[in-house]
Amino acid sequence: MALVLAVAAGVVGMLIGMVGVGGVLLPPLLVAVGGLTAHEATATSTWAFIFTGVVGTAAYSWRGVVPWPMLLRLAIGIVPAAFVGAAANVLLPATVVLLAMATLTLYVGARQLRPGTDPAEGEAGRELRTAELVGIGAVVGFGSALTGTGGPVLLVPLLLALGITPVKAVAVSQAAQLPVVISGSIGYLQAGLTDVALGTTLGVLAAVGTAVGAVVATRIHAAHLRALIALACIAAGLFLAARAAADLLGG
């Protein structure tokens, strides 16, 4: 069990660092392999993503590709919504949110496979207004804290669908993890749901993977990165849909 979780944490971290999608895999693994309840798995994975957020932010910041003004506006919506999402997790099933996230990630993944759907390499891409970014932040903060998926798995598809370039979307998602998971973790710690020791161990392992993934992401062609994001989104969308279906059948 410990070895499986350790390897899985490294793979999840690499996916987060490379394409921003990967956090969706950890909560179900903690339930299936770690024996945690759904609420405990969500809380523990949220804690683990603090480590990937720190490393991912540092890695992309060092390369000068994090759009800080965009991040600040996203955070205005993320922070309060993440508190609400963590509180809602204790009371509500996450099936509806999971289905919405599955639909979005599948749509964006399929869209990225079509030629001409993203700005070309070297283009700045679309600039979003403050109100749009605050609204996106609220959706990402609530949905990510509710499901324990960290942030990038929802933020990257949203930004890509709105015309943001792949590297910019992945870079800002790394930094946006921090307000999501810190706010969410405070709520989960207050509820006594977080396995801090397990979350820290998995977080450190995932952070190593994130650092490796960030290096790879900034050194490959934009078209190749777009293809990786597409495949990761489709895989994550199918995984989310399967998890939602299991919740429905189990309920």
mmCIF file of all heavy atoms in Angstrom, residues 140-193:
data_model
loop_
_atom_site.group_PDB
_atom_site.id
_atom_site.type_symbol
_atom_site.label_atom_id
_atom_site.label_comp_id
_atom_site.label_asym_id
_atom_site.label_seq_id
_atom_site.Cartn_x
_atom_site.Cartn_y
_atom_site.Cartn_z
ATOM 1 N N VAL A 140 -13.264 27.808 -9.347
ATOM 2 C CA VAL A 140 -12.128 26.913 -9.102
ATOM 3 C C VAL A 140 -11.940 26.679 -7.606
ATOM 4 O O VAL A 140 -11.711 25.546 -7.167
ATOM 5 C CB VAL A 140 -10.846 27.506 -9.723
ATOM 6 C CG1 VAL A 140 -9.610 26.729 -9.267
ATOM 7 C CG2 VAL A 140 -10.946 27.495 -11.239
ATOM 8 N N GLY A 141 -12.023 27.735 -6.812
ATOM 9 C CA GLY A 141 -11.843 27.593 -5.372
ATOM 10 C C GLY A 141 -12.875 26.675 -4.747
ATOM 11 O O GLY A 141 -12.536 25.779 -3.974
ATOM 12 N N PHE A 142 -14.149 26.881 -5.102
ATOM 13 C CA PHE A 142 -15.213 26.062 -4.539
ATOM 14 C C PHE A 142 -15.107 24.612 -5.005
ATOM 15 O O PHE A 142 -15.110 23.684 -4.203
ATOM 16 C CB PHE A 142 -16.582 26.628 -4.926
ATOM 17 C CG PHE A 142 -17.734 25.816 -4.394
ATOM 18 C CD1 PHE A 142 -18.162 25.989 -3.090
ATOM 19 C CD2 PHE A 142 -18.363 24.877 -5.186
ATOM 20 C CE1 PHE A 142 -19.216 25.240 -2.578
ATOM 21 C CE2 PHE A 142 -19.414 24.117 -4.689
ATOM 22 C CZ PHE A 142 -19.844 24.293 -3.385
ATOM 23 N N GLY A 143 -15.006 24.412 -6.317
ATOM 24 C CA GLY A 143 -14.984 23.060 -6.867
ATOM 25 C C GLY A 143 -13.772 22.267 -6.435
ATOM 26 O O GLY A 143 -13.877 21.075 -6.121
ATOM 27 N N SER A 144 -12.620 22.914 -6.373
ATOM 28 C CA SER A 144 -11.397 22.209 -6.010
ATOM 29 C C SER A 144 -11.366 21.843 -4.533
ATOM 30 O O SER A 144 -10.961 20.738 -4.162
ATOM 31 C CB SER A 144 -10.172 23.062 -6.366
ATOM 32 O OG SER A 144 -10.143 23.337 -7.747
ATOM 33 N N ALA A 145 -11.798 22.773 -3.675
ATOM 34 C CA ALA A 145 -11.821 22.475 -2.244
ATOM 35 C C ALA A 145 -12.872 21.417 -1.928
ATOM 36 O O ALA A 145 -12.679 20.562 -1.064
ATOM 37 C CB ALA A 145 -12.101 23.745 -1.441
ATOM 38 N N LEU A 146 -13.987 21.454 -2.638
ATOM 39 C CA LEU A 146 -15.046 20.483 -2.413
ATOM 40 C C LEU A 146 -14.604 19.067 -2.743
ATOM 41 O O LEU A 146 -14.959 18.107 -2.057
ATOM 42 C CB LEU A 146 -16.266 20.853 -3.256
ATOM 43 C CG LEU A 146 -17.495 19.939 -3.156
ATOM 44 C CD1 LEU A 146 -18.103 20.005 -1.761
ATOM 45 C CD2 LEU A 146 -18.530 20.299 -4.205
ATOM 46 N N THR A 147 -13.801 18.931 -3.797
ATOM 47 C CA THR A 147 -13.421 17.597 -4.276
ATOM 48 C C THR A 147 -11.984 17.208 -3.953
ATOM 49 O O THR A 147 -11.575 16.083 -4.238
ATOM 50 C CB THR A 147 -13.605 17.524 -5.810
ATOM 51 O OG1 THR A 147 -12.820 18.554 -6.429
ATOM 52 C CG2 THR A 147 -15.061 17.725 -6.195
ATOM 53 N N GLY A 148 -11.181 18.116 -3.392
ATOM 54 C CA GLY A 148 -9.808 17.793 -3.026
ATOM 55 C C GLY A 148 -8.873 17.603 -4.200
ATOM 56 O O GLY A 148 -7.889 16.873 -4.105
ATOM 57 N N THR A 149 -9.161 18.277 -5.321
ATOM 58 C CA THR A 149 -8.364 18.084 -6.534
ATOM 59 C C THR A 149 -7.301 19.156 -6.732
ATOM 60 O O THR A 149 -6.630 19.164 -7.756
ATOM 61 C CB THR A 149 -9.273 18.027 -7.768
ATOM 62 O OG1 THR A 149 -10.149 19.156 -7.768
ATOM 63 C CG2 THR A 149 -10.117 16.765 -7.755
ATOM 64 N N GLY A 150 -7.149 20.089 -5.800
ATOM 65 C CA GLY A 150 -6.009 20.999 -5.822
ATOM 66 C C GLY A 150 -6.217 22.318 -6.532
ATOM 67 O O GLY A 150 -5.832 23.355 -6.034
ATOM 68 N N GLY A 151 -6.802 22.330 -7.710
ATOM 69 C CA GLY A 151 -6.997 23.587 -8.424
ATOM 70 C C GLY A 151 -6.694 23.535 -9.904
ATOM 71 O O GLY A 151 -7.534 23.894 -10.736
ATOM 72 N N PRO A 152 -5.482 23.080 -10.294
ATOM 73 C CA PRO A 152 -5.126 23.074 -11.709
ATOM 74 C C PRO A 152 -6.049 22.241 -12.595
ATOM 75 O O PRO A 152 -6.299 22.605 -13.747
ATOM 76 C CB PRO A 152 -3.707 22.501 -11.708
ATOM 77 C CG PRO A 152 -3.157 22.892 -10.381
ATOM 78 C CD PRO A 152 -4.315 22.777 -9.439
ATOM 79 N N VAL A 153 -6.567 21.121 -12.078
ATOM 80 C CA VAL A 153 -7.399 20.256 -12.919
ATOM 81 C C VAL A 153 -8.645 20.980 -13.397
ATOM 82 O O VAL A 153 -9.191 20.667 -14.457
ATOM 83 C CB VAL A 153 -7.784 18.961 -12.164
ATOM 84 C CG1 VAL A 153 -8.744 19.239 -11.029
ATOM 85 C CG2 VAL A 153 -8.365 17.947 -13.128
ATOM 86 N N LEU A 154 -9.108 21.971 -12.653
ATOM 87 C CA LEU A 154 -10.271 22.752 -13.064
ATOM 88 C C LEU A 154 -9.863 24.066 -13.722
ATOM 89 O O LEU A 154 -10.471 24.494 -14.701
ATOM 90 C CB LEU A 154 -11.157 23.030 -11.847
ATOM 91 C CG LEU A 154 -12.492 23.730 -12.086
ATOM 92 C CD1 LEU A 154 -13.307 22.981 -13.141
ATOM 93 C CD2 LEU A 154 -13.276 23.820 -10.789
ATOM 94 N N LEU A 155 -8.805 24.700 -13.212
ATOM 95 C CA LEU A 155 -8.401 26.005 -13.728
ATOM 96 C C LEU A 155 -7.812 25.915 -15.129
ATOM 97 O O LEU A 155 -8.121 26.756 -15.992
ATOM 98 C CB LEU A 155 -7.383 26.643 -12.771
ATOM 99 C CG LEU A 155 -6.891 28.043 -13.153
ATOM 100 C CD1 LEU A 155 -8.056 29.008 -13.322
ATOM 101 C CD2 LEU A 155 -5.910 28.568 -12.111
ATOM 102 N N VAL A 156 -6.963 24.922 -15.381
ATOM 103 C CA VAL A 156 -6.328 24.816 -16.696
ATOM 104 C C VAL A 156 -7.354 24.667 -17.822
ATOM 105 O O VAL A 156 -7.303 25.401 -18.813
ATOM 106 C CB VAL A 156 -5.287 23.675 -16.731
ATOM 107 C CG1 VAL A 156 -4.812 23.403 -18.161
ATOM 108 C CG2 VAL A 156 -4.090 24.029 -15.850
ATOM 109 N N PRO A 157 -8.316 23.736 -17.716
ATOM 110 C CA PRO A 157 -9.323 23.645 -18.784
ATOM 111 C C PRO A 157 -10.126 24.916 -18.976
ATOM 112 O O PRO A 157 -10.424 25.306 -20.104
ATOM 113 C CB PRO A 157 -10.222 22.487 -18.317
ATOM 114 C CG PRO A 157 -9.355 21.662 -17.449
ATOM 115 C CD PRO A 157 -8.474 22.634 -16.743
ATOM 116 N N LEU A 158 -10.486 25.590 -17.884
ATOM 117 C CA LEU A 158 -11.244 26.836 -17.986
ATOM 118 C C LEU A 158 -10.450 27.896 -18.746
ATOM 119 O O LEU A 158 -10.981 28.563 -19.655
ATOM 120 C CB LEU A 158 -11.592 27.354 -16.593
ATOM 121 C CG LEU A 158 -12.838 26.782 -15.924
ATOM 122 C CD1 LEU A 158 -12.916 27.231 -14.475
ATOM 123 C CD2 LEU A 158 -14.088 27.210 -16.680
ATOM 124 N N LEU A 159 -9.189 28.074 -18.390
ATOM 125 C CA LEU A 159 -8.369 29.094 -19.045
ATOM 126 C C LEU A 159 -8.111 28.757 -20.509
ATOM 127 O O LEU A 159 -8.122 29.640 -21.374
ATOM 128 C CB LEU A 159 -7.046 29.276 -18.296
ATOM 129 C CG LEU A 159 -7.157 29.865 -16.885
ATOM 130 C CD1 LEU A 159 -5.776 29.967 -16.240
ATOM 131 C CD2 LEU A 159 -7.842 31.228 -16.909
ATOM 132 N N LEU A 160 -7.877 27.489 -20.799
ATOM 133 C CA LEU A 160 -7.673 27.086 -22.191
ATOM 134 C C LEU A 160 -8.927 27.351 -23.022
ATOM 135 O O LEU A 160 -8.851 27.820 -24.158
ATOM 136 C CB LEU A 160 -7.308 25.605 -22.267
ATOM 137 C CG LEU A 160 -5.920 25.210 -21.755
ATOM 138 C CD1 LEU A 160 -5.767 23.705 -21.754
ATOM 139 C CD2 LEU A 160 -4.826 25.850 -22.601
ATOM 140 N N ALA A 161 -10.088 27.044 -22.449
ATOM 141 C CA ALA A 161 -11.339 27.263 -23.167
ATOM 142 C C ALA A 161 -11.568 28.743 -23.444
ATOM 143 O O ALA A 161 -12.243 29.103 -24.415
ATOM 144 C CB ALA A 161 -12.504 26.697 -22.372
ATOM 145 N N LEU A 162 -10.986 29.615 -22.609
ATOM 146 C CA LEU A 162 -11.162 31.058 -22.767
ATOM 147 C C LEU A 162 -10.036 31.707 -23.565
ATOM 148 O O LEU A 162 -9.963 32.928 -23.656
ATOM 149 C CB LEU A 162 -11.276 31.716 -21.384
ATOM 150 C CG LEU A 162 -12.543 31.344 -20.606
ATOM 151 C CD1 LEU A 162 -12.460 31.855 -19.173
ATOM 152 C CD2 LEU A 162 -13.777 31.906 -21.297
ATOM 153 N N GLY A 163 -9.147 30.891 -24.136
ATOM 154 C CA GLY A 163 -8.136 31.418 -25.053
ATOM 155 C C GLY A 163 -6.789 31.740 -24.458
ATOM 156 O O GLY A 163 -5.962 32.391 -25.109
ATOM 157 N N ILE A 164 -6.516 31.301 -23.227
ATOM 158 C CA ILE A 164 -5.198 31.518 -22.620
ATOM 159 C C ILE A 164 -4.224 30.471 -23.159
ATOM 160 O O ILE A 164 -4.587 29.308 -23.356
ATOM 161 C CB ILE A 164 -5.289 31.419 -21.085
ATOM 162 C CG1 ILE A 164 -6.310 32.432 -20.548
ATOM 163 C CG2 ILE A 164 -3.928 31.639 -20.448
ATOM 164 C CD1 ILE A 164 -6.000 33.865 -20.879
ATOM 165 N N THR A 165 -2.991 30.866 -23.415
ATOM 166 C CA THR A 165 -2.004 29.943 -23.969
ATOM 167 C C THR A 165 -1.681 28.828 -22.976
ATOM 168 O O THR A 165 -1.779 29.017 -21.757
ATOM 169 C CB THR A 165 -0.699 30.679 -24.318
ATOM 170 O OG1 THR A 165 -0.231 31.370 -23.158
ATOM 171 C CG2 THR A 165 -0.915 31.673 -25.437
ATOM 172 N N PRO A 166 -1.280 27.632 -23.467
ATOM 173 C CA PRO A 166 -1.043 26.492 -22.579
ATOM 174 C C PRO A 166 -0.037 26.748 -21.464
ATOM 175 O O PRO A 166 -0.309 26.432 -20.301
ATOM 176 C CB PRO A 166 -0.559 25.408 -23.543
ATOM 177 C CG PRO A 166 -1.189 25.742 -24.853
ATOM 178 C CD PRO A 166 -1.204 27.241 -24.901
ATOM 179 N N VAL A 167 1.136 27.277 -21.790
ATOM 180 C CA VAL A 167 2.151 27.478 -20.750
ATOM 181 C C VAL A 167 1.668 28.472 -19.700
ATOM 182 O O VAL A 167 1.862 28.280 -18.499
ATOM 183 C CB VAL A 167 3.480 27.954 -21.374
ATOM 184 C CG1 VAL A 167 4.449 28.411 -20.290
ATOM 185 C CG2 VAL A 167 4.121 26.837 -22.191
ATOM 186 N N LYS A 168 1.006 29.548 -20.143
ATOM 187 C CA LYS A 168 0.491 30.549 -19.210
ATOM 188 C C LYS A 168 -0.574 29.941 -18.308
ATOM 189 O O LYS A 168 -0.608 30.201 -17.097
ATOM 190 C CB LYS A 168 -0.081 31.724 -19.993
ATOM 191 C CG LYS A 168 -0.468 32.930 -19.139
ATOM 192 C CD LYS A 168 -0.906 34.090 -20.029
ATOM 193 C CE LYS A 168 -1.241 35.323 -19.214
ATOM 194 N NZ LYS A 168 -1.666 36.440 -20.101
ATOM 195 N N ALA A 169 -1.446 29.107 -18.885
ATOM 196 C CA ALA A 169 -2.511 28.473 -18.102
ATOM 197 C C ALA A 169 -1.923 27.538 -17.051
ATOM 198 O O ALA A 169 -2.360 27.537 -15.889
ATOM 199 C CB ALA A 169 -3.453 27.710 -19.024
ATOM 200 N N VAL A 170 -0.940 26.732 -17.449
ATOM 201 C CA VAL A 170 -0.329 25.798 -16.508
ATOM 202 C C VAL A 170 0.443 26.561 -15.434
ATOM 203 O O VAL A 170 0.372 26.225 -14.243
ATOM 204 C CB VAL A 170 0.598 24.811 -17.238
ATOM 205 C CG1 VAL A 170 1.351 23.939 -16.234
ATOM 206 C CG2 VAL A 170 -0.212 23.928 -18.186
ATOM 207 N N ALA A 171 1.167 27.593 -15.829
ATOM 208 C CA ALA A 171 1.985 28.354 -14.875
ATOM 209 C C ALA A 171 1.120 29.020 -13.809
ATOM 210 O O ALA A 171 1.422 28.938 -12.605
ATOM 211 C CB ALA A 171 2.811 29.401 -15.619
ATOM 212 N N VAL A 172 0.055 29.697 -14.214
ATOM 213 C CA VAL A 172 -0.780 30.377 -13.221
ATOM 214 C C VAL A 172 -1.520 29.369 -12.352
ATOM 215 O O VAL A 172 -1.812 29.638 -11.184
ATOM 216 C CB VAL A 172 -1.761 31.362 -13.901
ATOM 217 C CG1 VAL A 172 -2.934 30.636 -14.552
ATOM 218 C CG2 VAL A 172 -2.274 32.389 -12.900
ATOM 219 N N SER A 173 -1.806 28.193 -12.903
ATOM 220 C CA SER A 173 -2.508 27.177 -12.105
ATOM 221 C C SER A 173 -1.633 26.668 -10.970
ATOM 222 O O SER A 173 -2.141 26.280 -9.918
ATOM 223 C CB SER A 173 -2.944 26.012 -12.998
ATOM 224 O OG SER A 173 -1.872 25.138 -13.296
ATOM 225 N N GLN A 174 -0.310 26.654 -11.180
ATOM 226 C CA GLN A 174 0.586 26.222 -10.114
ATOM 227 C C GLN A 174 0.484 27.154 -8.910
ATOM 228 O O GLN A 174 0.349 26.719 -7.768
ATOM 229 C CB GLN A 174 2.034 26.182 -10.613
ATOM 230 C CG GLN A 174 2.272 25.270 -11.795
ATOM 231 C CD GLN A 174 1.902 23.838 -11.523
ATOM 232 O OE1 GLN A 174 2.176 23.307 -10.452
ATOM 233 N NE2 GLN A 174 1.247 23.204 -12.476
ATOM 234 N N ALA A 175 0.567 28.462 -9.192
ATOM 235 C CA ALA A 175 0.493 29.441 -8.108
ATOM 236 C C ALA A 175 -0.906 29.512 -7.510
ATOM 237 O O ALA A 175 -1.070 29.741 -6.307
ATOM 238 C CB ALA A 175 0.915 30.811 -8.632
ATOM 239 N N ALA A 176 -1.936 29.294 -8.338
ATOM 240 C CA ALA A 176 -3.314 29.359 -7.850
ATOM 241 C C ALA A 176 -3.648 28.199 -6.923
ATOM 242 O O ALA A 176 -4.633 28.268 -6.178
ATOM 243 C CB ALA A 176 -4.281 29.380 -9.031
ATOM 244 N N GLN A 177 -2.847 27.136 -6.970
ATOM 245 C CA GLN A 177 -3.052 26.038 -6.027
ATOM 246 C C GLN A 177 -2.976 26.518 -4.584
ATOM 247 O O GLN A 177 -3.720 26.033 -3.717
ATOM 248 C CB GLN A 177 -1.973 24.961 -6.197
ATOM 249 C CG GLN A 177 -2.116 24.049 -7.377
ATOM 250 C CD GLN A 177 -1.031 22.985 -7.352
ATOM 251 O OE1 GLN A 177 -1.196 21.958 -6.710
ATOM 252 N NE2 GLN A 177 0.057 23.224 -8.040
ATOM 253 N N LEU A 178 -2.068 27.443 -4.325
ATOM 254 C CA LEU A 178 -1.785 27.807 -2.942
ATOM 255 C C LEU A 178 -2.976 28.429 -2.223
ATOM 256 O O LEU A 178 -3.336 27.974 -1.128
ATOM 257 C CB LEU A 178 -0.554 28.719 -2.891
ATOM 258 C CG LEU A 178 0.759 28.004 -3.230
ATOM 259 C CD1 LEU A 178 1.909 28.996 -3.302
ATOM 260 C CD2 LEU A 178 1.052 26.922 -2.199
ATOM 261 N N PRO A 179 -3.628 29.469 -2.770
ATOM 262 C CA PRO A 179 -4.810 29.966 -2.059
ATOM 263 C C PRO A 179 -5.929 28.944 -1.970
ATOM 264 O O PRO A 179 -6.686 28.934 -0.997
ATOM 265 C CB PRO A 179 -5.231 31.188 -2.886
ATOM 266 C CG PRO A 179 -4.550 31.058 -4.196
ATOM 267 C CD PRO A 179 -3.293 30.299 -3.926
ATOM 268 N N VAL A 180 -6.038 28.061 -2.978
ATOM 269 C CA VAL A 180 -7.067 27.016 -2.930
ATOM 270 C C VAL A 180 -6.803 26.064 -1.771
ATOM 271 O O VAL A 180 -7.669 25.831 -0.910
ATOM 272 C CB VAL A 180 -7.122 26.217 -4.250
ATOM 273 C CG1 VAL A 180 -8.042 25.006 -4.090
ATOM 274 C CG2 VAL A 180 -7.616 27.082 -5.398
ATOM 275 N N VAL A 181 -5.601 25.485 -1.746
ATOM 276 C CA VAL A 181 -5.342 24.411 -0.781
ATOM 277 C C VAL A 181 -5.096 24.926 0.628
ATOM 278 O O VAL A 181 -5.418 24.238 1.601
ATOM 279 C CB VAL A 181 -4.156 23.523 -1.251
ATOM 280 C CG1 VAL A 181 -4.517 22.824 -2.553
ATOM 281 C CG2 VAL A 181 -2.878 24.328 -1.418
ATOM 282 N N ILE A 182 -4.543 26.129 0.760
ATOM 283 C CA ILE A 182 -4.353 26.676 2.107
ATOM 284 C C ILE A 182 -5.708 26.998 2.739
ATOM 285 O O ILE A 182 -5.975 26.636 3.894
ATOM 286 C CB ILE A 182 -3.446 27.916 2.071
ATOM 287 C CG1 ILE A 182 -2.005 27.499 1.726
ATOM 288 C CG2 ILE A 182 -3.465 28.637 3.414
ATOM 289 C CD1 ILE A 182 -1.064 28.662 1.500
ATOM 290 N N SER A 183 -6.570 27.667 1.968
ATOM 291 C CA SER A 183 -7.896 27.993 2.489
ATOM 292 C C SER A 183 -8.685 26.721 2.789
ATOM 293 O O SER A 183 -9.318 26.594 3.850
ATOM 294 C CB SER A 183 -8.664 28.854 1.479
ATOM 295 O OG SER A 183 -7.981 30.054 1.205
ATOM 296 N N GLY A 184 -8.652 25.770 1.844
ATOM 297 C CA GLY A 184 -9.368 24.516 2.056
ATOM 298 C C GLY A 184 -8.829 23.733 3.237
ATOM 299 O O GLY A 184 -9.590 23.162 4.017
ATOM 300 N N SER A 185 -7.509 23.703 3.373
ATOM 301 C CA SER A 185 -6.903 22.926 4.453
ATOM 302 C C SER A 185 -7.272 23.480 5.825
ATOM 303 O O SER A 185 -7.434 22.710 6.791
ATOM 304 C CB SER A 185 -5.376 22.913 4.301
ATOM 305 O OG SER A 185 -4.990 22.097 3.215
ATOM 306 N N ILE A 186 -7.398 24.787 5.937
ATOM 307 C CA ILE A 186 -7.801 25.372 7.216
ATOM 308 C C ILE A 186 -9.170 24.838 7.631
ATOM 309 O O ILE A 186 -9.390 24.446 8.786
ATOM 310 C CB ILE A 186 -7.814 26.905 7.128
ATOM 311 C CG1 ILE A 186 -6.377 27.443 6.996
ATOM 312 C CG2 ILE A 186 -8.482 27.517 8.364
ATOM 313 C CD1 ILE A 186 -6.294 28.933 6.706
ATOM 314 N N GLY A 187 -10.083 24.800 6.660
ATOM 315 C CA GLY A 187 -11.410 24.273 6.951
ATOM 316 C C GLY A 187 -11.388 22.807 7.323
ATOM 317 O O GLY A 187 -12.069 22.383 8.279
ATOM 318 N N TYR A 188 -10.596 22.017 6.594
ATOM 319 C CA TYR A 188 -10.537 20.585 6.877
ATOM 320 C C TYR A 188 -9.839 20.289 8.205
ATOM 321 O O TYR A 188 -10.215 19.343 8.914
ATOM 322 C CB TYR A 188 -9.830 19.855 5.738
ATOM 323 C CG TYR A 188 -10.672 19.749 4.491
ATOM 324 C CD1 TYR A 188 -10.201 20.197 3.265
ATOM 325 C CD2 TYR A 188 -11.935 19.185 4.546
ATOM 326 C CE1 TYR A 188 -10.972 20.098 2.113
ATOM 327 C CE2 TYR A 188 -12.715 19.080 3.411
ATOM 328 C CZ TYR A 188 -12.232 19.536 2.196
ATOM 329 O OH TYR A 188 -13.007 19.439 1.077
ATOM 330 N N LEU A 189 -8.822 21.067 8.544
ATOM 331 C CA LEU A 189 -8.156 20.880 9.832
ATOM 332 C C LEU A 189 -9.111 21.179 10.980
ATOM 333 O O LEU A 189 -9.119 20.483 12.003
ATOM 334 C CB LEU A 189 -6.914 21.777 9.916
ATOM 335 C CG LEU A 189 -5.709 21.339 9.081
ATOM 336 C CD1 LEU A 189 -4.668 22.449 9.027
ATOM 337 C CD2 LEU A 189 -5.092 20.057 9.638
ATOM 338 N N GLN A 190 -9.912 22.200 10.817
ATOM 339 C CA GLN A 190 -10.893 22.538 11.847
ATOM 340 C C GLN A 190 -11.912 21.419 12.023
ATOM 341 O O GLN A 190 -12.413 21.192 13.126
ATOM 342 C CB GLN A 190 -11.595 23.852 11.484
ATOM 343 C CG GLN A 190 -10.690 25.073 11.577
ATOM 344 C CD GLN A 190 -11.359 26.338 11.083
ATOM 345 O OE1 GLN A 190 -12.342 26.294 10.332
ATOM 346 N NE2 GLN A 190 -10.841 27.487 11.503
ATOM 347 N N ALA A 191 -12.214 20.715 10.927
ATOM 348 C CA ALA A 191 -13.176 19.608 10.990
ATOM 349 C C ALA A 191 -12.531 18.300 11.449
ATOM 350 O O ALA A 191 -13.230 17.306 11.669
ATOM 351 C CB ALA A 191 -13.828 19.406 9.623
ATOM 352 N N GLY A 192 -11.191 18.288 11.588
ATOM 353 C CA GLY A 192 -10.493 17.103 12.054
ATOM 354 C C GLY A 192 -10.442 15.972 11.047
ATOM 355 O O GLY A 192 -10.359 14.792 11.426
ATOM 356 N N LEU A 193 -10.438 16.293 9.754
ATOM 357 C CA LEU A 193 -10.491 15.270 8.714
ATOM 358 C C LEU A 193 -9.138 14.963 8.075
ATOM 359 O O LEU A 193 -9.013 13.996 7.336
ATOM 360 C CB LEU A 193 -11.471 15.706 7.611
ATOM 361 C CG LEU A 193 -12.948 15.767 8.000
ATOM 362 C CD1 LEU A 193 -13.754 16.446 6.898
ATOM 363 C CD2 LEU A 193 -13.482 14.367 8.268
#
